[in-house]
Amino acid sequence: MKDIMENLLEVKKLSKTYKNGRKALDNLNFNVIKGEILGFLGPNGAGKSTTINILSTLLQSDNGEITYFNDAGLSIKDIKKQLGIVPQELAIYEDISALQNVKFFASLYGIKKSEINERVEDALRKVGLEDRKHDRPSTFSGGMKRRLNIACAIAHNPKLIIFDEPTVGIDPQSRNHILDSIKNLRDEGATIIYTTHYMEEVQQICDRVIIMDGGVVLLNDSLDNILKYYSNSNYQIRVDKQINPEVLDEIRKSSNVVEVNQKSESEVIFSMDEESAPINSVLEILIRFNLNIVSITMIKKNLEDVFLLLTGKRLRD
Ligand code: ADP
């Protein structure tokens, strides 16, 4: 069981307007709970990078407050020591070994000499590169380079790791490997903010999801709740004759039905307000109007549909 939920990060009323007058963040509020993988989603221009750059201390906000690690008195230096940022672009040296790469980045964090080797080995193990540690990245696949990029960002054992789209342009097998590494990091105690364009990834690894657009949070809830709440089940029923408008009207009136649409002459699509609501009433209406049921198909909404519903945009637009 999870411990009592503790905030690792609290963001209050964060605002940012760029010099060109573009308002990127508009009183943004959210928190990050210790031990979770938080999926951070939004269409292009939503304000994700701005938020992440501010959280990473690379950019200053105009207004607002961020409390890191439950301690309002931390200096930027203290904060940086406990943050791991995995950038989208590779930041590794091709011509030194994987181990030397991680060691170099770890040394920037002032890790003690006596500890550095252990930390470096541990980071390489966490991303599954211990067998290739003496090889140069120039001999690595794209996915392995990405994993090395992660190892470089985590050797100082950060409490909070921010991933900025770490799987863009990666083949499915390597992608799964990266996702497994990220779950491992969480299971070993890190807290993670994960930005991505891929809904399947969010459904695969995230505990909670924030969807933002126009510099504000549109939705902030656990993945389970989002799918439960928004994924009312849709059914498509085909019958053997034409469906008349009066039949559709009757279906609209029946209990638990929230939406009815005619797909074709003999097909109707309707959604129930709960995932497992009985559809007997709809079937009864069809039978009462002498329509024989030919097929019933259940269509479930996924996170992509929820995203479209809230932002009016496809994530990959
Ligand atoms: P996302 O990462 O979700 O795509 P961004 O945070 O990059 O969104 O951008 C949010 C808004 O701020 C957009 O309207 C974008 O055009 C604007 N913006 C981002 N960076 C800059 C910048 N350096 N100068 C001016 N406007 C910017």
Side-chain angles (χ1 to χ4, degrees):
M1 233 183 48
K2 271 203 163 171
D3 298 337
I4 297 165
M5 289 197 291
E6 181 188 326
N7 279 341
L8 198 76
L9 195 73
E10 255 181 280
V11 175
K12 280 196 196 134
K13 295 193 170 178
L14 213 58
S15 293
K16 176 76 189 173
T17 301
Y18 286 101
K19 284 203 182 88
N20 62 1
R22 284 237 175 223
K23 190 178 234 183
L25 303 182
D26 186 9
N27 278 323
L28 185 75
N29 296 295
F30 69 95
N31 54 9
V32 183
I33 298 165
K34 191 173 177 206
E36 74 176 348
I37 302 179
L38 173 66
F40 212 65
L41 297 174
N44 275 334
K48 302 181 299 294
S49 308
T50 303
T51 308
I52 282 176
N53 287 338
I54 293 173
L55 294 184
S56 315
T57 74
L58 300 172
L59 185 70
Q60 274 214 312
S61 65
D62 302 333
N63 279 303
E65 229 176 76
I66 308 174
T67 311
Y68 293 85
F69 316 119
N70 258 324
D71 184 349
L74 290 177
S75 67
I76 291 211
K77 201 171 159 209
D78 290 334
I79 291 167
K80 278 186 166 170
K81 272 190 180 168
Q82 304 184 64
L83 278 182
I85 315 293
V86 183
Q88 201 179 114
E89 313 79 43
L90 290 174
I92 52 177
Y93 297 99
E94 294 276 339
D95 296 323
I96 56 174
S97 71
L99 190 120
Q100 284 167 319
N101 262 286
V102 182
K103 211 167 183 171
F104 169 73
F105 284 98
S107 69
L108 300 180
Y109 285 93
I111 300 170
K112 282 193 218 136
K113 273 225 162 85
S114 57
E115 279 179 25
I116 206 158
N117 285 336
E118 193 187 326
R119 294 280 190 89
V120 169
E121 297 278 345
D122 193 45
L124 287 161
R125 175 188 61 76
K126 282 176 175 160
V127 300
L129 278 179
E130 63 270 64
D131 295 346
R132 299 291 302 268
K133 64 186 176 191
H134 295 303
D135 297 340
R136 292 173 181 198
S138 50
T139 67
F140 285 2
S141 69
M144 290 165 74
K145 287 182 189 179
R146 293 281 175 133
R147 282 189 275 140
L148 178 58
N149 210 35
I150 297 174
C152 291
I154 62 167
H156 60 294
N157 228 353
K159 281 187 186 165
L160 178 65
I161 310 170
I162 302 177
F163 286 88
D164 188 6
E165 308 218 17
T167 60
V168 170
I170 295 290
D171 66 88
Q173 199 191 346
S174 307
R175 172 183 291 192
N176 280 333
H177 214 135
I178 290 173
L179 296 180
D180 284 344
S181 304
I182 293 172
K183 279 196 278 188
N184 264 343
L185 289 169
R186 179 207 42 203
D187 294 343
E188 296 196 20
T191 303
I192 286 151
I193 299 179
Y194 190 76
T195 324
T196 181
H197 268 57
Y198 302 110
M199 288 292 181
E200 320 81 77
E201 292 187 351
V202 173
Q203 288 197 239
Q204 208 172 325
I205 66 167
C206 293
D207 302 299
R208 199 156 58 92
V209 179
I210 285 181
I211 296 180
M212 71 177 294
D213 198 12
V216 296
V217 170
L218 296 180
L219 181 73
N220 174 353
D221 209 339
S222 71
L223 184 65
D224 284 350
N225 275 350
I226 292 174
L227 293 176
K228 204 158 42 179
Y229 185 68
Y230 285 94
S231 71
N232 43 21
S233 302
N234 300 298
Y235 293 88
Q236 180 168 340
I237 296 190
R238 193 151 69 84
V239 293
D240 64 341
K241 288 191 252 346
Q242 183 171 341
I243 304 168
N244 295 325
E246 56 179 326
V247 179
L248 298 178
D249 281 346
E250 280 292 306
I251 296 175
R252 276 192 192 97
K253 281 188 234 153
S254 79
S255 59
N256 291 330
V257 170
V258 289
E259 209 183 330
V260 182
N261 287 299
Q262 189 156 13
K263 172 104 191 306
S264 70
E265 204 176 62
S266 59
E267 277 171 307
V268 61
I269 293 181
F270 61 93
S271 25
M272 307 298 287
D273 64 357
E274 278 174 53
E275 194 174 348
S276 53
I279 59 167
N280 299 22
S281 59
V282 178
L283 298 181
E284 274 161 21
I285 293 164
L286 296 171
I287 292 165
R288 178 146 49 86
F289 282 88
N290 287 323
L291 297 164
N292 295 309
I293 290 145
V294 177
S295 68
I296 303 178
T297 316
M298 187 175 171
I299 316 156
K300 277 201 77 165
K301 279 200 184 127
N302 60 23
L303 196 56
E304 181 92 46
D305 301 321
V306 175
F307 186 87
L308 182 64
L309 197 75
L310 288 171
T311 66
K313 295 167 198 152
R314 292 228 163 264
L315 197 54
R316 273 164 242 178
D317 276 356

